[in-house]
Amino acid sequence: MLKIKEFNKIIVANWKLNGSNDFLEAYFEKLALKDIDSDICGIICPPITYFQNCYSKLNSLYLGAQDCSKFKDGAYTGEISASMLRENNCIFCIVGHSERRQVFKENNEDIKIKAAQLLDEKIVPIICIGETLEQKKMHKTHEVLKEQVINSLPPNSSKESVVIAYEPIWAIGTGITPTLEEINNIHKYLKKDIKEIEEYKLLYGGSVNPKNASDIMSLENVDGVLVGGSSLKADQFSEILKA
Ligand code: PEP
């Protein structure tokens, strides 16, 4: 398993349901990986069909998936297992993204099973948690995050093997972010007050772009970022990798 503790920052590109062969060619031609510090862990999570093409172009970056099946094998049409991901050079895998939780009705138990399957295959799960705007307005952020974390963590989880991504749902794809103080405080709460994830690598996600990436990543309790929209623009993602 990759030694995640050795990295200073972890920066994840979540392409979601985007890409094409032409997009890939143009993207990697434009992506500037030259001046990226060696202690930065850059990860590209494309749709699975582009795994091999991406892998051949990654250079120092790592390959990640956006999801995996909670089943190992069997009659589950359309599913892709953790072992299949491992056989295809996958090092990281996002699980429990809010789009999976909301659109595909995944719950904490599903996410816990997926994360356990990934750990069995020596793939690092990136477990996403985050509150809705309604929950934030009702001052339930801490309570919601704690409940998600505790119930999504597999029993074989450790700070060396699992990454957590805090992604306020209201900040994803909206161009709106919490203040720097809010991000740092929530990360502090997660890292210091929830014993189960003490000292885990903790990423922030939600409308990260080249303008705000440096400030966000300078925060004491932030170990990196998970990027959606801006990761689809090679020049913007290059800037974030260097932020
Ligand atoms: C995401 O997809 O997890 C995300 C953070 O998206 P965006 O950067 O576009 O808000």
Side-chain angles (χ1 to χ4, degrees):
M1 183 167 252
L2 189 70
K3 293 195 169 74
I4 53 173
K5 277 279 146 193
E6 288 175 5
F7 293 106
N8 182 23
K9 298 288 175 211
I10 297 174
I11 301 176
V12 188
N14 177 15
W15 284 8
K16 310 192 187 191
L17 187 56
N18 295 293
S20 67
N21 287 335
D22 288 347
F23 168 84
L24 223 97
E25 293 305 319
Y27 187 90
F28 283 100
E29 227 163 76
K30 218 171 174 191
L31 197 67
L33 299 174
K34 236 178 160 190
D35 304 317
I36 297 166
D37 291 343
S38 57
D39 60 359
I40 297 294
C41 175
I43 306 161
I44 306 265
C45 303
I48 304 285
T49 48
Y50 302 120
F51 251 41
Q52 290 319 315
N53 195 349
C54 260
Y55 182 67
S56 68
K57 297 175 168 60
L58 281 176
N59 282 309
S60 56
L61 302 181
Y62 295 94
L63 194 57
Q66 300 172 17
D67 186 36
C68 79
S69 178
K70 65 177 180 178
F71 302 107
K72 278 188 192 299
D73 52 30
Y76 302 106
T77 303
E79 291 286 270
I80 293 174
S81 70
S83 72
M84 292 169 186
L85 292 178
R86 197 238 322 129
E87 283 190 333
N88 284 278
N89 308 302
C90 182
I91 305 291
F92 291 86
C93 181
I94 299 168
V95 282
H97 190 282
S98 60
E99 288 151 15
R100 302 281 333 162
R101 290 178 187 261
Q102 292 190 324
V103 183
F104 299 97
K105 308 291 174 226
E106 288 185 7
N107 60 33
N108 293 324
E109 186 61 24
D110 298 323
I111 292 151
K112 186 199 284 192
I113 297 168
K114 289 179 180 200
Q117 304 269 11
L118 290 163
L119 288 175
D120 286 348
E121 298 298 332
K122 310 262 181 287
I123 295 172
V124 178
I126 302 170
I127 300 177
C128 299
I129 55 170
E131 83 285 8
T132 62
L133 188 56
E134 202 183 3
Q135 289 164 334
K136 176 183 158 62
K137 283 183 182 160
M138 289 163 71
H139 305 287
K140 287 192 165 169
T141 300
H142 283 200
E143 186 188 322
V144 168
L145 298 180
K146 186 170 187 176
E147 196 256 326
Q148 288 180 344
V149 160
I150 289 174
N151 295 305
S152 306
L153 269 190
N156 49 347
S157 174
S158 74
K159 64 180 184 214
E160 280 83 26
S161 61
V162 171
V163 173
I164 308 288
Y166 167 55
E167 299 206 294
I169 297 171
W170 49 274
I172 296 179
T174 58
I176 304 164
T177 60
T179 64
L180 292 172
E181 195 186 357
E182 280 172 328
I183 295 173
N184 204 39
N185 284 342
I186 289 176
H187 278 230
K188 189 172 166 201
Y189 162 72
L190 290 167
K191 278 192 174 211
K192 310 264 156 71
D193 292 355
I194 304 184
K195 295 290 163 227
E196 288 84 350
I197 55 163
E198 207 170 12
E199 291 179 42
Y200 273 52
K201 292 277 188 198
L202 182 56
L203 316 183
Y204 167 78
S207 295
V208 173
N209 59 46
K211 286 202 182 110
N212 60 22
S214 171
D215 285 342
I216 292 173
M217 281 195 282
S218 306
L219 295 169
E220 190 191 342
N221 297 303
V222 173
D223 301 304
V225 286
L226 200 161
V227 191
S230 264
S231 78
L232 289 167
K233 310 246 166 56
D235 52 348
Q236 293 192 15
F237 193 60
S238 302
E239 277 188 61
I240 295 171
L241 286 167
K242 286 171 202 161

Coordinates of all heavy atoms in Angstrom, one line a residue, residues 24-25 28 33 44 46 50-63 88-89:
L24 N -8.7 13.3 -23.3 CA -7.5 12.8 -22.6 C -6.2 13.2 -23.2 O -5.2 13.6 -22.6 CB -7.6 11.3 -22.6 CG -7.3 10.6 -21.3 CD1 -8.6 10.3 -20.5 CD2 -6.6 9.3 -21.6
E25 N -6.2 13.1 -24.6 CA -4.9 13.4 -25.3 C -4.6 14.9 -25.0 O -3.5 15.3 -24.7 CB -5.1 13.2 -26.8 CG -5.3 11.8 -27.2 CD -4.1 10.9 -26.8 OE1 -3.0 11.3 -26.8 OE2 -4.4 9.7 -26.3
F28 N -3.5 15.7 -21.2 CA -2.1 15.3 -20.7 C -1.1 16.1 -21.5 O 0.1 16.2 -21.0 CB -1.9 13.8 -20.8 CG -2.6 13.2 -19.6 CD1 -3.8 12.5 -19.7 CD2 -2.0 13.2 -18.3 CE1 -4.5 12.0 -18.6 CE2 -2.7 12.6 -17.2 CZ -3.9 12.0 -17.4
L33 N 3.6 19.1 -15.3 CA 4.0 18.4 -14.0 C 5.4 18.6 -13.6 O 5.9 18.1 -12.6 CB 3.8 16.8 -14.2 CG 2.4 16.4 -14.6 CD1 2.4 14.9 -14.9 CD2 1.4 16.7 -13.4
I44 N -5.3 11.3 -10.3 CA -6.3 11.5 -11.3 C -7.4 10.4 -11.2 O -7.0 9.2 -11.2 CB -5.8 11.6 -12.7 CG1 -4.6 12.6 -12.8 CG2 -6.9 11.8 -13.7 CD1 -5.0 14.0 -13.3
P46 N -10.3 9.2 -13.3 CA -11.1 9.3 -14.5 C -12.2 8.3 -14.4 O -12.1 7.4 -13.6 CB -10.1 9.0 -15.6 CG -9.1 8.0 -14.9 CD -9.1 8.4 -13.4
Y50 N -11.2 4.9 -19.1 CA -10.0 5.7 -19.5 C -8.7 5.3 -18.6 O -7.7 5.9 -18.7 CB -10.2 7.2 -19.4 CG -11.4 7.6 -20.3 CD1 -12.5 8.2 -19.8 CD2 -11.3 7.3 -21.7 CE1 -13.5 8.5 -20.7 CE2 -12.4 7.6 -22.5 CZ -13.5 8.2 -22.0 OH -14.5 8.5 -22.8
F51 N -8.9 4.3 -17.7 CA -7.9 4.0 -16.8 C -6.5 3.7 -17.5 O -5.5 4.3 -17.1 CB -8.3 2.7 -16.0 CG -8.6 3.0 -14.6 CD1 -9.3 4.1 -14.2 CD2 -8.2 2.1 -13.6 CE1 -9.6 4.3 -12.8 CE2 -8.5 2.3 -12.2 CZ -9.2 3.4 -11.9
Q52 N -6.5 2.8 -18.4 CA -5.3 2.4 -19.0 C -4.6 3.5 -19.8 O -3.4 3.7 -19.8 CB -5.4 1.1 -19.9 CG -5.7 -0.1 -19.0 CD -4.9 -0.2 -17.7 OE1 -3.7 0.0 -17.7 NE2 -5.6 -0.5 -16.6
N53 N -5.4 4.2 -20.6 CA -4.9 5.4 -21.3 C -4.3 6.4 -20.4 O -3.2 6.9 -20.6 CB -6.0 6.0 -22.2 CG -5.5 6.9 -23.2 OD1 -4.3 7.2 -23.2 ND2 -6.3 7.3 -24.2
C54 N -5.0 6.7 -19.3 CA -4.5 7.6 -18.3 C -3.2 7.1 -17.7 O -2.2 7.9 -17.5 CB -5.5 7.8 -17.2 SG -6.5 9.2 -17.3
Y55 N -3.2 5.8 -17.3 CA -2.1 5.2 -16.6 C -0.8 5.4 -17.4 O 0.3 5.7 -16.9 CB -2.3 3.8 -16.3 CG -1.2 3.1 -15.5 CD1 -1.0 3.5 -14.2 CD2 -0.5 2.1 -16.1 CE1 0.1 2.8 -13.5 CE2 0.6 1.5 -15.4 CZ 0.8 1.9 -14.1 OH 1.8 1.3 -13.4
S56 N -0.9 5.3 -18.7 CA 0.3 5.4 -19.6 C 0.8 6.8 -19.7 O 1.9 7.1 -20.1 CB -0.1 4.9 -21.0 OG -1.0 5.8 -21.6
K57 N 0.0 7.8 -19.2 CA 0.4 9.2 -19.3 C 0.6 9.9 -18.0 O 0.9 11.1 -18.0 CB -0.8 10.0 -20.0 CG -1.0 9.5 -21.5 CD -2.2 10.3 -22.0 CE -2.4 10.1 -23.5 NZ -2.6 8.7 -23.9
L58 N 0.5 9.2 -16.9 CA 0.4 9.8 -15.6 C 1.8 10.4 -15.1 O 1.7 11.3 -14.2 CB 0.0 8.8 -14.5 CG -1.5 8.6 -14.4 CD1 -1.8 7.5 -13.4 CD2 -2.3 9.8 -14.1
N59 N 2.9 9.9 -15.5 CA 4.2 10.3 -14.9 C 4.2 10.1 -13.4 O 4.0 9.0 -13.0 CB 4.5 11.8 -15.3 CG 5.0 11.9 -16.7 OD1 5.9 11.1 -17.1 ND2 4.4 12.7 -17.5
S60 N 4.4 11.2 -12.7 CA 4.5 11.1 -11.2 C 3.1 11.0 -10.5 O 3.0 10.9 -9.3 CB 5.3 12.2 -10.7 OG 4.7 13.4 -11.1
L61 N 2.0 11.2 -11.3 CA 0.7 11.2 -10.6 C 0.2 9.7 -10.4 O 0.8 8.8 -10.9 CB -0.3 11.9 -11.5 CG 0.0 13.3 -11.9 CD1 -1.1 13.9 -12.7 CD2 0.2 14.2 -10.6
Y62 N -0.8 9.6 -9.5 CA -1.3 8.3 -9.2 C -2.7 8.1 -9.8 O -3.4 9.1 -10.0 CB -1.4 8.1 -7.7 CG 0.0 8.0 -7.1 CD1 0.5 9.2 -6.5 CD2 0.7 6.8 -7.0 CE1 1.8 9.2 -6.0 CE2 2.0 6.8 -6.5 CZ 2.5 8.0 -5.9 OH 3.7 8.0 -5.4
L63 N -3.1 6.9 -10.0 CA -4.4 6.6 -10.6 C -5.4 6.3 -9.5 O -5.1 5.6 -8.5 CB -4.3 5.4 -11.5 CG -5.5 5.1 -12.5 CD1 -5.8 6.3 -13.4 CD2 -5.1 3.8 -13.3
N88 N -5.9 -3.1 -12.3 CA -5.8 -2.1 -13.3 C -5.0 -0.8 -12.8 O -5.4 0.3 -13.2 CB -7.1 -1.7 -13.9 CG -7.6 -2.8 -14.9 OD1 -7.1 -2.8 -16.0 ND2 -8.4 -3.8 -14.4
N89 N -4.1 -1.1 -11.9 CA -3.2 0.0 -11.4 C -3.8 1.1 -10.5 O -3.3 2.2 -10.4 CB -2.4 0.6 -12.6 CG -1.8 -0.4 -13.5 OD1 -1.0 -1.2 -13.0 ND2 -2.2 -0.4 -14.7

